[in-house]
């Protein structure tokens, strides 16, 4: 903790951050649970068009967000009291779980775009549908963090995130391995994700042009991908920039932690933008809640006859 800062400024600041986090907890948790409910509703529906590999990534990403957000009350308690009073063991568990879930959630969403890229651009749909390939994609986001933790314990160099003097539990600021993972994400995976979006759109536009078909559906896809790209940059770049700062200040870490948790809110929004079937199920759930009955004929077939290439893209998203 920065001892030179006025105590009252730190107290007011930490209480403000705790209040902001508490205000975001309920809508963020509800949004992720609603995505899970929509996914379950899609599976129970006979008209489900979500591919199994995409469904697994949606399930994994949303589950990681929910697990991460269940730790927020601990963080709010810490910020509100100004010190960590829950013990070393719980501090380490919280830090490692946050590391795994925050990293894995982004990569699961990334692999949806990667799978669509391989299917639409490369024509490797058979590779994408293989169980071995799916298993590798599901394990990839978790393996680096687990290897880091296992290596530290084997070498007897496990990170101690609890400052016993100031009673604060640093979750990111003094973890070099986590900063490396975040750096790799914002330098490599975020730009690569944006490249996938651009190349997928380029392929669909070129296909429609060669076959002399309307570009109306592709223009809608371009707007959707534009929104997804903007949300991705806003949710990940600021937090990644703060995480690279090495100063161990409690106020700085609080800002960084808040920015690092923004993907928990943006991830379900991106998933809803990417998958039409998921959006349709969300609307159905809202209609059932409002009217207590299912409205037949909700799925319109007219929107799927404009561009076969776009239909393929929508079915793979």
């Amino acid at each position: 903790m920065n001892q030179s800062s006025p105590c009252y400024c730190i107290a007011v600041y930490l209480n403000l951050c705790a209040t902001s986090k508490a205000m975001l907890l309920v809508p963020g948790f509800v949004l992720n649970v609603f995505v899970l409910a929509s996914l379950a509703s899609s599976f129970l529906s006979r008209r489900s068009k979500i591919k199994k590999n995409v469904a697994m990534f949606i399930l994994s990403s949303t589950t990681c967000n929910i697990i991460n957000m269940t730790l927020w009350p601990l963080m709010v308690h810490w910020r509100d009291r100004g010190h960590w009073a829950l013990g070393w063991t719980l501090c380490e568990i919280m830090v490692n779980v946050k590391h795994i879930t925050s990293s894995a959630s982004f990569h699961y969403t990334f692999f949806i775009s990667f799978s669509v890229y391989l299917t639409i651009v490369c024509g490797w749909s058979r590779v994408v549908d293989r169980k071995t390939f799916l298993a590798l994609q599901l394990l990839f986001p978790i393996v680096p963090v687990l290897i880091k933790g296992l290596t530290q314990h084997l070498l007897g160099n496990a990170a101690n995130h609890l400052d016993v003097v100031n009673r604060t539990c640093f979750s990111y600021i003094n973890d070099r391995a986590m900063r490396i993972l975040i750096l790799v994400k914002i330098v490599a995976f975020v730009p690569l994700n944006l490249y996938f979006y651009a190349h997928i759109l380029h392929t669909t536009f070129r296909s429609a042009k060669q076959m002399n078909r309307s570009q109306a559906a592709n223009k809608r896809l371009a707007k959707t991908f534009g929104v997804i790209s903007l949300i991705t940059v806003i949710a990940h770049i600021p937090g990644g920039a703060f995480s690279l700062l090495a100063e161990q200040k409690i106020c700085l870490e609080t800002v960084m932690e808040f920015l690092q948790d923004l993907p928990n809110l943006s991830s379900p929004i991106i998933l809803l933008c990417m998958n039409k079937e998921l959006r349709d199920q969300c609307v159905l759930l809202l209609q059932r809640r409002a009217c207590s009955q299912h409205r037949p004929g909700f799925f319109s077939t007219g929107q799927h006859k404009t561009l076969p290439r776009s239909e393929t893209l929508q079915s793979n998203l």
Side-chain angles (χ1 to χ4, degrees):
M1 183 179 292
N2 187 10
Q3 299 292 342
S4 62
S5 299
C7 294
Y8 71 92
C9 289
I10 294 178
V12 172
Y13 178 76
L14 294 181
N15 287 331
L16 178 62
C17 291
T19 303
S20 301
K21 206 171 185 68
M23 292 176 63
L24 291 176
L25 175 60
V26 174
F29 193 85
V30 170
L31 185 59
N32 281 278
V33 171
F34 193 66
V35 170
L36 280 183
S38 300
L39 182 63
S41 177
S42 177
F43 271 117
L44 295 175
S45 173
R46 296 181 180 180
R47 299 181 179 181
S48 177
K49 298 179 181 179
I50 300 180
K51 283 194 171 184
K52 292 183 179 180
N53 60 341
V54 176
M56 287 297 297
F57 293 136
I58 294 176
L59 176 63
S60 300
S61 177
T62 310
T63 301
C64 286
N65 290 334
I66 292 175
I67 293 175
N68 192 305
M69 298 186 76
T70 56
L71 300 174
W72 284 21
L74 295 179
M75 310 300 294
V76 173
H77 175 270
W78 166 28
R79 302 305 185 192
D80 183 61
R81 298 298 178 88
H83 66 278
W84 185 262
L86 302 177
W88 178 87
T89 301
L90 194 57
C91 172
E92 291 299 317
I93 292 175
M94 180 202 69
V95 171
N96 285 284
V97 171
K98 282 179 68 66
H99 285 183
I100 293 175
T101 55
S102 62
S103 175
S105 176
F106 166 77
H107 285 101
Y108 287 139
T109 305
F110 166 84
F111 279 126
I112 296 178
S113 304
F114 182 53
S115 299
V116 176
Y117 174 82
L118 292 179
T119 302
I120 299 297
V121 178
C122 302
W124 293 358
S125 58
R126 293 183 179 180
V127 175
V128 173
D129 292 337
R130 289 181 179 177
K131 294 182 179 180
T132 304
F133 186 76
L134 176 60
L136 290 175
Q137 289 181 311
L138 290 174
L139 290 176
F140 175 83
I142 303 176
V143 170
V145 181
L146 292 180
I147 291 178
K148 180 211 73 170
L150 181 61
T151 303
Q152 288 178 335
H153 282 285
L154 291 177
L155 297 177
N157 191 28
N160 185 1
H161 297 93
L162 181 63
D163 183 349
V164 294
V165 177
N166 297 315
R167 301 297 297 172
T168 182
C169 178
F170 288 103
S171 58
Y172 289 99
I173 203 71
N174 64 346
D175 195 325
R176 294 181 180 178
M178 190 59 193
R179 287 204 296 268
I180 293 174
L181 292 175
I182 295 174
L183 177 62
V184 171
K185 180 176 71 173
I186 64 173
V187 171
F189 284 96
V190 170
L192 191 59
N193 204 20
L194 300 180
Y195 166 76
F196 288 159
Y197 295 154
H199 204 162
I200 290 170
L201 285 174
H202 173 72
T203 301
T204 55
F205 272 94
R206 186 179 61 182
S207 174
K209 183 178 181 180
Q210 291 176 350
M211 302 185 72
N212 296 320
R213 289 197 174 97
S214 173
Q215 298 281 10
N218 289 336
K219 291 179 180 179
R220 291 194 295 269
L221 287 174
K223 293 179 181 179
T224 300
F225 277 119
V227 172
I228 293 174
S229 301
L230 180 62
I231 294 175
T232 301
V233 170
I234 293 176
H236 292 92
I237 299 300
F242 266 94
S243 66
L244 300 180
L245 300 176
E247 295 184 64
Q248 295 187 6
K249 296 181 179 180
I250 189 66
C251 292
L252 179 61
E253 186 195 4
T254 305
V255 174
M256 185 176 64
E257 180 199 335
F258 177 80
L259 293 174
Q260 284 294 326
D261 286 334
L262 285 180
N264 293 321
L265 300 175
S266 65
S267 176
I269 297 175
I270 291 176
L271 293 175
L272 289 172
C273 290
M274 292 179 68
N275 196 279
K276 184 179 184 300
E277 175 74 10
L278 202 61
R279 294 197 302 271
D280 289 343
Q281 292 298 330
C282 286
V283 175
L284 282 176
L285 289 178
L286 292 175
Q287 287 180 341
R288 289 171 183 173
R289 185 174 181 179
C291 304
S292 300
Q293 62 181 5
H294 176 71
R295 295 182 181 179
F298 175 78
F299 291 93
S300 176
T301 58
Q303 297 179 352
H304 299 282
K305 296 181 180 180
T306 305
L307 188 62
R309 191 73 177 186
S310 298
E311 290 180 19
T312 305
L313 177 56
Q314 290 285 4
S315 64
N316 281 278
L317 277 175

